[in-house]
């Protein structure tokens, strides 16, 4: 499914059982791109005084330039570095050598939701009900398609705590607490709570403990201006960017409660959206603008949610917020997952737009508008 570069002499020198484990490990890659290290136990000599046989040492590294070509290797723990001039590792209890296998897996996972014009989830659709373009071209091949209703969730609850929402803040806290209590499954899900005024602030870091999440919401206090873009940017960069790397697919989302107005941020709206796209994170937004007409902030929320594959809600009153939270909960648990290999893929770090639609035009697809290709190390 991807391009794998490995030192076959090294791999063939391993016992057959270990070779099978390595092949099985490599076959698990389901992310856009991955580079990982597999550590295997080296056989130790039966006599302590006997010098190690050459076959027991890892293959020699290139004498120069290897560290220059791959600087992150210098940041690995000392046990991952090879001894110089044939010396043994300083730690006599270190009985592991590391063999490095680099794999470029050019598969893309597109997780999306399908709704009707009333926002109700549409189940039981098949692959033939959809058409997809990646960077303007049809995929080279589709490797899997499935309805995915129980993906583990990684949810950030981001609440506007500026002074402009002081009068309705307590009700927002109650609705947000109810949402997390009903949505987060401690056995598989995790969430964090962030509030923002002039600056973003983590009130409760990643946890599956519902009591801790509730405490994090209750300790929020409204004060100051509004740094919306900074908060979205920081939440995606610091909390969601690497959450699912090397693991099973998860559904990553920010639930944003705000009027969409920003008067304090240092980053721009486009930068916040791009960071969400890099982190494969969707945004759901609940507007706190209760006036009959749409504001500039409402348009901001609409752009941010549409670009990331989420949805914006405009409840007519603060009492209706709980209905919006229920719609978000249903959407998070009602998705399709499409895995495919893009045509003419280049690992150059460029943004690749995605156009995914349902052939039945009565239905709307909520999906991210693109992704950033990994950059070759």
């Amino acid at each position: 499914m991807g391009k794998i570069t490995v030192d076959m002499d090294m791999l063939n020198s391993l016992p057959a059982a270990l070779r099978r484990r390595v092949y099985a490990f490599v076959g698990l890659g389901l992310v856009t791109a991955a580079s990982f290290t597999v550590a295997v136990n080296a056989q130790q000599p039966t006599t302590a005084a006997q010098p190690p046989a050459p076959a027991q040492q890892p293959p020699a590294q290139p004498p120069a330039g290897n560290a220059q070509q791959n600087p992150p290797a210098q940041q690995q723990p000392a046990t991952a570095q090879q001894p110089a001039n044939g010396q043994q590792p300083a730690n006599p209890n270190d009985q592991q050598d590391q063999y490095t296998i680099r794999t470029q897996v050019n598969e893309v996972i597109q997780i999306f939701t399908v709704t009707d014009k009333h926002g109700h989830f549409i189940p039981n659709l098949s692959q033939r009900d959809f058409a997809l373009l990646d960077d303007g071209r049809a995929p080279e091949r589709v490797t899997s398609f499935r309805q995915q209703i129980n993906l583990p969730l990684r949810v950030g609850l981001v609440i506007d705590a500026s002074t402009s929402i002081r009068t309705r803040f307590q009700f927002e806290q109650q609705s947000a607490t109810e949402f997390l209590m009903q949505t987060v499954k401690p056995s598989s899900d995790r969430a964090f709570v962030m509030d923002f005024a002039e600056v973003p602030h983590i009130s409760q870091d990643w946890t599956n403990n519902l009591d801790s999440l509730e405490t994090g919401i209750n300790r929020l206090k409204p004060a100051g201006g509004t740094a919306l873009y900074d908060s979205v940017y920081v939440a995606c960069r610091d909390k969601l960017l690497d959450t699912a790397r090397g693991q099973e697919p998860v559904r990553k989302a920010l639930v944003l409660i705000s009027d969409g107005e920003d008067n304090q941020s240092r980053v721009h709206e486009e930068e916040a959206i791009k960071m969400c796209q890099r982190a494969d994170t969707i945004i759901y937004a609940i507007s706190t603008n209760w006036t009959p007409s749409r504001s500039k902030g409402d348009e901001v929320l609409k752009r941010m949610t549409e670009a990331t594959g989420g949805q914006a809600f405009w409840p007519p009153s603060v009492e209706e917020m709980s209905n919006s939270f229920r719609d978000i909960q249903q959407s998070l648990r009602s998705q399709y997952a499409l895995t495919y290999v893009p045509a003419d893929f280049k690992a150059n770090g460029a943004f690749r737009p995605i156009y995914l639609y349902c052939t039945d035009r009565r239905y709307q697809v909520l999906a991210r508008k693109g992704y950033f290709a990994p950059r070759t190390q």
Side-chain angles (χ1 to χ4, degrees):
M1 309 306 293
K3 299 177 182 178
I4 300 176
T5 301
V6 61
D7 188 329
M8 296 306 297
D9 293 334
M10 174 276 293
L11 191 58
N12 290 332
S13 68
L14 297 176
L18 284 177
R19 286 202 303 273
R20 288 193 295 270
R21 291 175 61 188
V22 171
Y23 285 134
F25 192 98
V26 173
L28 293 176
L30 282 179
V31 293
T32 304
S35 178
F36 51 84
T37 299
V38 180
V40 294
N41 290 328
Q43 297 179 357
Q44 299 300 316
T46 55
T47 304
Q50 181 182 357
Q56 293 168 329
Q57 296 295 331
Q61 302 295 327
N66 185 54
Q68 296 175 355
Q69 295 172 2
N70 193 12
Q74 298 176 355
Q75 300 175 6
Q76 297 297 321
T79 54
Q81 298 176 356
Q82 302 301 324
N85 301 324
Q87 297 177 355
Q88 295 300 313
N91 183 1
N93 295 322
D94 184 6
Q95 298 184 358
Q96 284 194 335
D97 295 322
Q98 287 196 336
Y99 299 93
T100 299
I101 301 175
R102 297 190 179 279
T103 174
Q104 184 74 33
V105 184
N106 297 337
E107 284 189 338
V108 176
I109 299 178
Q110 179 76 333
I111 301 174
F112 59 95
T113 303
V114 182
T115 64
D116 60 17
K117 63 180 181 179
H118 302 293
H120 300 140
F121 175 68
I122 304 300
N124 303 323
L125 298 177
S126 64
Q127 179 183 328
R128 64 176 177 270
D129 294 315
F130 300 94
L132 169 71
L133 294 177
D134 181 302
D135 202 26
R137 299 182 61 183
E140 181 178 306
R141 64 183 180 276
V142 173
T143 56
S144 70
F145 178 89
R146 60 196 180 277
Q147 186 171 325
Q148 194 73 271
I149 60 174
N150 284 312
L151 277 176
L153 299 181
R154 301 294 180 263
V155 179
L157 187 62
V158 182
I159 302 177
D160 185 343
S162 61
T163 53
S164 62
I165 49 84
R166 182 182 298 273
T167 58
R168 51 189 181 270
F169 192 69
Q170 184 176 2
F171 196 92
E172 292 177 7
Q173 287 176 302
Q174 295 172 354
S175 298
T177 299
E178 181 182 357
F179 165 74
L180 288 180
M181 296 302 105
Q182 295 179 354
T183 302
V184 175
K185 297 179 180 179
S187 60
S188 59
D189 305 334
R190 297 171 66 200
F192 69 89
V193 178
M194 170 185 282
D195 66 296
F196 65 92
E198 289 94 346
V199 294
H201 168 258
I202 297 294
S203 176
Q204 173 58 56
D205 211 337
W206 285 118
T207 184
N208 61 351
N209 187 300
L210 298 180
D211 291 337
S212 297
L213 291 169
E214 182 177 8
T215 300
I217 295 174
N218 290 335
R219 68 165 61 105
L220 305 182
K221 303 295 181 184
T226 310
L228 170 64
Y229 307 144
D230 284 356
S231 302
V232 171
Y233 184 94
V234 170
C236 289
R237 182 194 65 187
D238 296 351
K239 296 300 175 184
L240 289 155
L241 188 60
D242 294 324
T243 299
R245 186 162 305 212
Q247 304 172 7
E248 63 176 322
V250 297
R251 186 61 155 164
K252 297 191 287 184
L254 287 182
V255 179
L256 177 62
I257 305 172
S258 175
D259 59 7
E261 302 288 346
D262 189 299
N263 55 25
Q264 293 284 337
S265 289
R266 291 175 293 178
V267 304
H268 296 93
E269 176 186 336
E270 295 79 8
E271 295 174 285
I273 291 174
K274 286 183 179 179
M275 184 53 66
C276 283
Q277 292 169 333
R278 290 185 186 278
D280 291 334
T281 298
I282 60 176
I283 298 177
Y284 292 99
I286 300 178
S287 174
T288 57
N289 172 30
W290 314 124
T291 62
S293 60
R294 294 286 176 88
S295 67
K296 179 181 177 181
D298 287 331
E299 294 303 316
V300 169
L301 298 180
K302 181 179 180 181
R303 289 193 297 267
M304 297 183 81
T305 55
E306 287 183 350
T308 58
Q311 194 172 1
F313 299 88
W314 290 274
S317 66
V318 67
E319 291 78 15
E320 297 294 326
M321 283 188 66
S322 57
N323 293 333
S324 299
F325 276 117
R326 281 194 291 271
D327 290 340
I328 294 172
Q329 179 187 6
Q330 182 187 32
S331 180
L332 286 171
R333 295 298 184 187
S334 307
Q335 301 105 21
Y336 295 91
L338 173 67
T339 306
Y340 66 94
V341 177
D344 193 28
F345 182 84
K346 296 181 177 63
N348 56 7
F351 183 77
R352 295 177 66 95
I354 293 177
Y355 180 54
L356 174 65
Y357 65 93
C358 186
T359 53
D360 188 332
R361 306 307 283 184
R362 295 175 300 171
Y363 303 143
Q364 177 187 10
V365 174
L366 302 178
R368 58 177 176 168
K369 303 303 182 185
Y371 64 97
F372 285 88
R375 190 181 297 276
T376 303
Q377 297 289 331

